Amino acid sequence: MPLHLFIDFDGTISEEDTTDLLLQRFADPEWEAVEEAWLRGAIGSRECMSRQVGLLRVTPAALEGFLDGIRVDPAFAGFMALCRRYGVPVTILSDGLDRVARGVLDRIGVDAPVVSNRLSWQGGDRWRLDFPHARADCASAAGNCKCARVWPDVPRPALGPASVLIGDGRSDFCAAGAAGLVFAKGKLAAHCRERAIPHTAFAGFADLIPLFQRMLDHTAPVPATLGDADARRHVH
């Protein structure tokens, strides 16, 4: 069965959370108090991120310079080249900032659609964050509801490619329960272990290249029922 890959950006493609790096560099220190309120559960993630972006003081030129210094997984470009060779569609799903993800991907020469929260320049050094992909019923209460992308609002038998999630963090939790295959590290791997969600643990894209090469070469065939919730029990 054909695959469609959904890959998280922050902490999965990038080596660190780029929103945190941006706030540490350019935001009023009040952003940390907003973060604490979110951690206490006093505010939701969308309010948290919106307020924090409102505290940024960075010109577009300075932001572009900042993006030049963001480190990515050194094997990611090679992994994407493998996907291109086999015609496997890839969507970058991020609960971070679209302008950041797209800027980093452009810098390393990776062309892939990005579905993320929208960072809009307001003139000078001011910015606003919008949430075009939010849903009130998102299981993770994220700004970008990844589960809605991995499991769209259509009957499952009508779907074509089986969804594959590659991620590392909290915004991936709901999508992990919906994807046909899950490749997880960090907090997502711990979440999958705690909830007995079948997954393959990985440390970086260097681990994934040989796994996907075998899958795509059909030396390790994808299960015929991949994408069905019951079929995920066969993945370890």
Side-chain angles (χ1 to χ4, degrees):
M1 179 177 287
L3 306 176
H4 188 137
L5 273 56
F6 296 93
I7 307 179
D8 171 60
F9 182 77
D10 286 294
T12 302
I13 296 171
S14 66
E15 293 187 350
E16 299 180 81
D17 186 294
T18 58
T19 302
D20 284 350
L21 292 176
L22 187 65
L23 291 168
Q24 290 164 9
R25 177 81 175 272
F26 296 111
D28 184 288
E30 186 185 340
W31 79 266
E32 294 178 298
V34 176
E35 186 84 1
E36 286 298 322
W38 172 67
L39 291 172
R40 292 196 312 271
I43 60 174
S45 65
R46 289 192 289 274
E47 180 180 352
C48 174
M49 294 178 66
S50 181
R51 288 171 57 182
Q52 287 176 328
V53 164
L55 295 170
L56 283 174
R57 298 295 180 267
V58 55
T59 64
L63 178 59
E64 292 302 317
F66 165 80
L67 298 184
D68 288 341
I70 291 181
R71 299 188 302 270
V72 302
D73 185 307
F76 174 67
F79 179 81
M80 289 295 291
L82 174 67
C83 292
R84 284 196 302 273
R85 280 202 304 275
Y86 284 86
V88 177
V90 175
T91 299
I92 309 303
L93 289 184
S94 173
D95 199 30
L97 312 177
D98 61 347
R99 191 169 180 135
V100 172
R102 287 197 178 96
V104 172
L105 294 175
D106 287 346
R107 190 193 81 210
I108 63 175
V110 169
D111 182 18
V114 175
V115 179
S116 187
N117 304 313
R118 183 181 299 141
L119 183 63
S120 300
W121 182 46
Q122 302 299 291
D125 60 0
R126 303 300 177 98
W127 301 83
R128 185 185 76 239
L129 191 61
D130 298 313
F131 303 98
H133 308 292
R135 286 175 55 125
D137 60 348
C138 178
S140 292
N144 177 18
C145 184
K146 296 184 180 183
C147 36
R149 290 281 168 173
V150 172
W151 189 293
D153 292 330
V154 297
R156 194 65 180 173
L159 295 180
S163 58
V164 178
L165 175 69
I166 302 173
D168 85 307
R170 185 178 301 182
S171 67
D172 303 308
F173 287 2
C174 69
L181 282 174
V182 178
F183 295 86
K185 66 175 185 173
K187 292 179 181 178
L188 179 61
H191 170 82
C192 290
R193 288 193 300 269
E194 291 167 2
R195 287 158 178 78
I197 297 174
H199 68 286
T200 297
F202 76 102
F205 282 93
D207 296 336
L208 297 183
I209 289 174
L211 293 176
F212 276 79
Q213 182 75 66
R214 290 195 296 271
M215 287 172 59
L216 297 172
D217 279 343
H218 302 291
T219 56
V222 178
T225 54
L226 181 65
D228 186 278
D230 292 333
R232 290 187 279 111
R233 295 190 175 90
H234 297 293
V235 182
H236 302 285

